[in-house]
Structure formats: C-alpha cells, structure tokens
Amino acid sequence: MKTDTHFWDQRRNTITSSKGGWKVGEAVYNHRYSMMDDLVGQKSYMQVMILNATGRLPERRLADWFEARQICMSWPDSRIWCNQIGALAGSMRTSVVAATVAGVLGADSRAYGGSKTVIAGLEFIQHAYALLTQGWTVEAIVDDECAKHGGKPHIMGYARPIAKGDERIPAMQKVSAQLGFEVGPHLQLAYQIEQVLIERYDERMNINGYVSAFLSDQGLTPEEVYRISATLVASGVTACYVDAVEKQPESFLPLRCDDVQYQGKAPRPLPKAKNEERPFRVVAYTGR
Amino acid sequence: MENNKDVERRNETYADKASTKIWLETPSNDNPYLAEHCYCHGYDLNELMQNISFVEMLYLLFRGELPNKDEAKLLEMFMVSAINPGPRHAATRAAMNAGVSKSNSSHILPIALMTLGGDHLGAAEVEPAMRFLRKHLKQSPAAVIDTLLMQLDEKSDAVNDVHLAPGFGARFNGVDPLPNQFAQHLASMPGAGKSLAWGCEFAAKLKDHHMGWLHTGLAAAVFADLGFQPRAAAGLYQLCLAPGLVAHGVEQSNKKLTDMPFIKDENYFIDYED
C-alpha cells in the first residue's frame, strides 16, 4: 500500500504565509499592514521588529522601551565573550556581517547574553507569581528555587558573573518611569525576591530579572521575548569587530605558544601498526 | 558622569591562560608566536600526517587515543554514508540558496551548518538521541515503545512525522529507508556496539507504527558505540555532513540566479489564519 503523502503533496511548489509577502505591482504586506503606506515613516523600527517577532504591533512606548534595553545589552567591550568573537573575526579580516552574526550566535547561550537566558528569567518570575497567587510566601518561593540548586541562590534573573549589582537596572527604571510605565505585580514580586536574596546571600537582581518581570507585566511570553531578543548583542559585536579590523591582522590579543597551558599527555612515539591494527596506514611521502 | 557605587567587582579568579589536553605547540627558537612542532594528545603532527588516516586522526582528536582497526572502520563507514544529506535536505538547500544568490563563498558552509543546527533531524537532535540510547540500553525495546506511545497519546499537538524518541520516528509519514539500510550494515561490523544493536531492535519494532531509524539516531548510535561524549555529538554530526553541503552550495554559485526556482506569485498565498 502506498504511503499517504497528501499533506506534503499539497505544499509542493507553494508557499502559504501567515505573515505577509510581496504582491508584485500591488503592495508589500506585513501582518495585514501595507509596509509602504502603514509602516514606513509611520512606525518605529522596533515596533515593526516586534510585529515581525510576535505578530502584534506594540504601542510606541513599549517599542521605545525595547530600544533602550537593546542599547543596555550591547556594549563595545571586547572582553565580553560574544564581542570577543567579533574582534577575533576582525583580526582575521572576516566580513562585518559574518563577524556580527557569529557574535550574535555566540550569545545564544544558557549562561549570558539576554536572549536565551531571558526565557528562563520569564519562566521563573511567571512561575513564582503563580505560586504567590496560590498563597506562597516570597521566602518559600526563594527556598523552593534554591532547593533546586543544592541550596545555592542560583535564580535566573539574580546575581551575575564578574560583578554584584547591575548598573543597567537604574537606567531602565528611569526609562520605564519616563515612558509612564507603572510597577506591575511581577516586578513588585521581583523586588521582594531581591530583598530576600540581599538579606540572606548578599546577591541582587540583574538586568535579566528586571526585564523578565517588566515584560511579564506587559503580557509577553518567554518565547516571544526570546524572538524579539534574537539580535540583542549585535551592535556591540560590530563595534568590537570594527576596532579589530582597523588594526593590524592577528594583533588582537596575540598568543605565544606558551600562553596556552598544555595539560595533556606528554609527547610520545606513535605506536607501530601491528598486523594492520590500524587499517589506513599510508605510505610516507619521501620527496622526489 | 556618575559612578555606579551599587556595582561591585566580584574579584572571582579567572585563569591566567586558556588550557587544553588536546594540543601542544612548541615554539620555534627565534619566534615564540610560531610553532615548530604540534602534538595531538602527545603524538607529533608530522608523524601523524605520514602514518594515519583522516578518520583515525579525527578519532584521536576527540577521544585522546588512536582507534583500533574496527573502530576506525566503523567511523569511516558512517562518515562515507553521511557525507552528503542530498539536495533536498534543508541545510543543503540553505547552502544552495546562498550559492545561487552569490553570498560570499566563505559563508556557504556556516549558513548550512547553522541551518543544520536544529533539533528536528539536525545536529541538536543527536545529543539527546545519544542520551536516550544510553538511558534505555538495558531495557526491552518493546517496553520502551509501549511507554513512549502512551506518553505520545497524551500529547495533543503531535500531527505529522512524530519522533517517538530523539533519533527515531517517521519522515513524510513513512520509514526512511536509507538510515535503516545503513544501520544494518553498520551494526554488522566488528566495531559496532550495544547502541547500534539496541537501536536496530528498537527500529524493527517501530516498523509496525510506521517509524524507524532517523539519520540523527543512527549518528548517535555510532558516536555512542565509539565512545564519543554526547556534548561533542552536534559538532561531529555537522562535520560529517559538511562536505556535501559545501559541494552543493559551490555548484550553485557557478550558476545564474534564475537557475533555481523562485515561487511564482500565483503560488504564493497570504493567509492570516483568522
């Protein structure tokens, strides 16, 4: 009996988009909007970017808030891992596009970067808020989360590598106030959790914690924020690329042989192949 | 400019140098930035290049020791079978799109490998598939299938091409013949181990449910039997498929933009679904 493949047969040589497209000679459509009539010159780039990532056109002030966050999350310090990728690429004379894309890909990390980490940040605060509404105390929520990490205060959105405290939070608090955003219930809870962590562990909220709670109050899902954040670190990577590409090739953080610590096996002779123990022995090149 | 007094340096200790167990470079006498000799897990690269094959070298790089004859043969057979996912594979098509649209030649492989990075038939499925095999090797394949089918029934969103477990499932509503054929060959080799054997039994019992080995599962079983770490699986899979991706991308880059299809307006539909 022939396999039923009609699902795929219907899709051959055909694209059905739920997002939009170019009707040549008519218009370019984007989520029911005419790009040239309704969006270009009418809406900000961030509004359209969020429309493309979520399917919803946000109000201007939320897009402006995202733009401020985008600036916060991407700075030209080539010690930061993703930026260093950009600088190394500059040192190798890679194209700016490849360098920037490589840095962006580097920041798609479970440890830092604000794109993938924001998923865990939003999931945590939304889960914590659900527990709060079920009658849990803030202390119990902290205990429960710490218990998952051997009693350590490893809570997504709190503490950060390199430093304690986060200069980006007061900057974003100022932006939120200027744009007229109130402190919502998720952010309120995030501050209460921070207070418990300060008292118990001397650890504070980081920008991910602030962003996750703020955006939970705006009704966004973790996946939506991840999608909006796809290119979050791009401009800082570009800056570090430019810094390196304008200098001598291979001059960014050059390493001598002994600048890498070798911890492996000491030099040893290659074992002789016994009865074709290794199958692909090639004849040594002896020169002409 | 205000100082941020609320931000304190942690003073964590970072290493002075990067470290590695894989590679030793000894400097030339007159320039400490140039290596005179390189050693891979202790073996001189000059000696290696004259005496061992690429497959043996690859194994050494990841495992720290040279493979025996059977291990090298198993890896080589898999790498030959996997060298080209073919022109219909999404990663190859990404390479072909990049090629025909005249992207930089050096971008073709990264573009294809990023596309290959997904967790549906891509590199990101191989590591979970290795972990799945490791976890279930001591269980009866039939019992594992029963449990997984029960869990599947509870999921409402499964429609087409279910992966009952990472690396095992249906493609285009059927059993993909090639990975199943390759698995039979590879499992019969002296270098094959428990993962390939268990996987073959599992896939045979899945046939009744119109599923079987997927290519990612086959890669996972080979890598597991050869003792590679699951964390290396995604990259190894990308390496194995890379030559075909480049070849197809470069082939298209020599052609005109019109030599590949561009879907006609009458076949492009906008349906906002509400």
Side-chain angles (χ1 to χ4, degrees):
Chain A
M1 196 176 72
K2 240 179 150 39
T3 307
D4 175 8
T5 59
H6 81 276
F7 175 84
W8 294 276
D9 297 338
Q10 286 170 346
R11 285 160 177 77
R12 288 177 65 227
N13 195 36
T14 297
I15 294 175
T16 303
S17 169
S18 54
K19 303 298 172 191
W22 178 23
K23 291 283 179 188
V24 180
E26 183 182 314
V28 184
Y29 294 104
N30 186 338
H31 296 87
R32 297 185 191 281
Y33 296 99
S34 162
M35 289 281 285
M36 304 311 146
D37 300 316
D38 305 327
L39 301 178
V40 176
Q42 310 287 323
K43 304 294 174 192
S44 72
Y45 170 76
M46 286 303 289
Q47 280 179 292
V48 177
M49 198 264 260
I50 295 167
L51 171 69
N52 281 325
T54 66
R56 300 188 302 276
L57 186 68
E59 57 175 333
R60 175 66 187 252
R61 65 173 186 155
L62 183 61
D64 289 351
W65 188 94
F66 265 106
E67 184 169 321
R69 179 223 180 196
Q70 195 103 358
I71 297 169
C72 265
M73 296 299 293
S74 186
W75 42 17
D77 183 328
S78 56
R79 292 173 301 171
I80 308 291
W81 302 275
C82 53
N83 292 345
Q84 193 157 129
I85 292 169
L88 289 164
S91 178
M92 292 291 291
R93 298 298 187 260
T94 304
S95 86
V96 63
V97 177
T100 305
V101 169
V104 167
L105 202 59
D108 192 16
S109 147
R110 60 185 185 278
Y112 81 105
S115 52
K116 190 176 271 182
T117 50
V118 90
I119 295 180
L122 269 94
E123 281 173 351
F124 165 69
I125 198 66
Q126 292 179 6
H127 174 65
Y129 185 68
L131 294 177
L132 189 78
T133 57
Q134 290 165 27
W136 286 49
T137 64
V138 176
E139 287 78 7
I141 291 169
V142 171
D143 287 342
D144 181 55
E145 196 61 24
C146 292
K148 293 175 192 166
H149 305 281
K152 291 181 180 160
H154 291 171
I155 300 182
M156 195 49 84
Y158 295 87
R160 68 192 282 215
I162 318 281
K164 282 186 181 185
D166 200 320
E167 57 278 87
R168 296 166 292 187
I169 294 177
M172 286 309 297
Q173 284 169 328
K174 202 167 148 188
V175 170
S176 302
Q178 280 169 349
L179 293 168
F181 287 107
E182 306 277 336
V183 173
H186 290 89
L187 189 52
Q188 207 167 8
L189 172 61
Y191 286 135
Q192 291 170 324
I193 290 170
E194 181 183 39
Q195 204 49 48
V196 173
L197 289 173
I198 290 171
E199 286 162 15
R200 289 194 190 168
Y201 304 105
D202 189 26
E203 289 292 1
R204 280 169 271 173
M205 197 192 296
N206 64 35
I207 187 67
N208 186 12
Y210 180 81
V211 165
S212 298
F214 177 90
L215 294 175
S216 294
D217 285 332
Q218 305 310 313
L220 288 159
T221 67
E223 186 60 30
E224 284 174 339
V225 179
Y226 182 44
R227 291 173 186 174
I228 295 168
S229 308
T231 58
L232 197 58
V233 301
S235 71
V237 177
T238 303
C240 294
Y241 165 84
V242 171
D243 195 26
V245 84
E246 290 179 348
K247 293 170 183 161
Q248 281 282 312
E250 280 204 276
S251 68
F252 176 76
L253 279 182
L255 295 174
R256 293 178 176 212
C257 290
D258 62 359
D259 284 334
V260 175
Q261 190 188 0
Y262 180 64
Q263 299 174 328
K265 293 191 170 69
R268 52 182 171 162
L270 200 59
K272 291 213 176 355
K274 291 177 278 183
N275 300 327
E276 296 188 11
E277 178 67 13
R278 292 199 317 276
F280 304 109
R281 194 173 174 82
V282 294
V283 179
Y285 176 70
T286 52
R288 292 187 180 198
Chain B
M1 194 190 304
E2 283 179 43
N3 284 333
N4 278 292
K5 290 177 189 143
D6 290 338
V7 181
E8 302 163 32
R9 176 162 283 287
R10 276 186 193 276
N11 292 325
E12 290 157 321
T13 308
Y14 282 78
D16 292 332
K17 297 177 177 183
S19 59
T20 176
K21 290 181 179 170
I22 298 171
W23 204 258
L24 169 66
E25 293 179 340
T26 57
S28 67
N29 287 335
D30 60 347
N31 189 332
Y33 291 93
L34 295 175
E36 190 75 44
H37 291 282
C38 293
Y39 299 85
C40 182
H41 292 287
Y43 298 126
D44 190 319
L45 190 57
N46 273 307
E47 262 192 273
L48 289 167
M49 69 172 271
Q50 294 177 67
N51 289 287
I52 71 168
S53 70
F54 178 80
V55 166
E56 289 174 293
M57 184 68 193
L58 185 70
Y59 183 100
L60 170 68
L61 193 62
F62 283 86
R63 294 288 330 266
E65 295 296 342
L66 287 161
N68 64 30
K69 184 181 70 172
D70 296 337
E71 290 162 336
K73 185 70 185 163
L74 182 68
L75 181 56
E76 201 208 19
M77 279 181 71
F78 173 72
M79 287 186 73
V80 170
S81 76
I83 199 163
N84 185 9
R88 295 181 303 118
H89 190 284
T92 318
R93 287 163 66 182
M96 291 164 72
N97 270 314
V100 84
S101 60
K102 311 295 174 256
S103 302
N104 285 1
S105 301
S106 60
H107 296 349
I108 289 174
L109 182 58
I111 288 166
L113 291 182
M114 283 189 215
T115 310
L116 185 63
D119 60 14
H120 183 91
L121 296 174
E125 190 174 13
V126 187
E127 179 178 341
M130 277 181 86
R131 297 193 191 283
F132 168 77
L133 287 165
R134 278 182 169 192
K135 190 175 167 187
H136 294 94
L137 277 182
K138 289 185 179 159
Q139 294 174 32
S140 127
V144 174
I145 289 171
D146 287 345
T147 309
L148 291 172
L149 285 173
M150 218 181 315
Q151 289 167 357
L152 186 68
D153 286 342
E154 290 162 13
K155 289 183 195 163
S156 56
D157 57 345
V159 191
N160 284 308
D161 284 1
V162 168
H163 290 197
L164 192 63
F168 294 89
R171 273 196 82 193
F172 300 108
N173 215 14
V175 178
D176 193 352
L178 284 175
N180 286 276
Q181 290 168 23
F182 296 153
Q184 297 305 319
H185 288 302
L186 291 164
S188 70
M189 297 301 294
K194 289 177 184 169
S195 295
L196 275 164
W198 191 91
C200 283
E201 210 183 321
F202 187 70
K205 293 196 185 306
L206 277 177
K207 215 171 169 186
D208 295 340
H209 307 281
H210 309 290
M211 297 186 214
W213 282 101
L214 298 169
H215 195 255
T216 45
L218 179 61
V222 171
F223 296 159
D225 281 349
L226 290 170
F228 291 116
Q229 290 298 309
R231 196 50 75 74
L236 281 170
Y237 189 67
Q238 287 169 310
L239 273 171
C240 291
L241 275 60
L245 302 175
V246 183
H248 282 290
V250 171
E251 183 188 36
Q252 296 304 319
S253 69
N254 296 321
K255 297 183 179 179
K256 298 191 301 291
L257 203 56
T258 49
D259 282 344
M260 270 183 67
F262 188 92
I263 300 295
K264 288 180 178 156
D265 286 0
E266 54 265 36
N267 290 341
Y268 189 93
F269 302 101
I270 301 174
D271 179 0
Y272 292 117
E273 291 179 344
D274 57 3

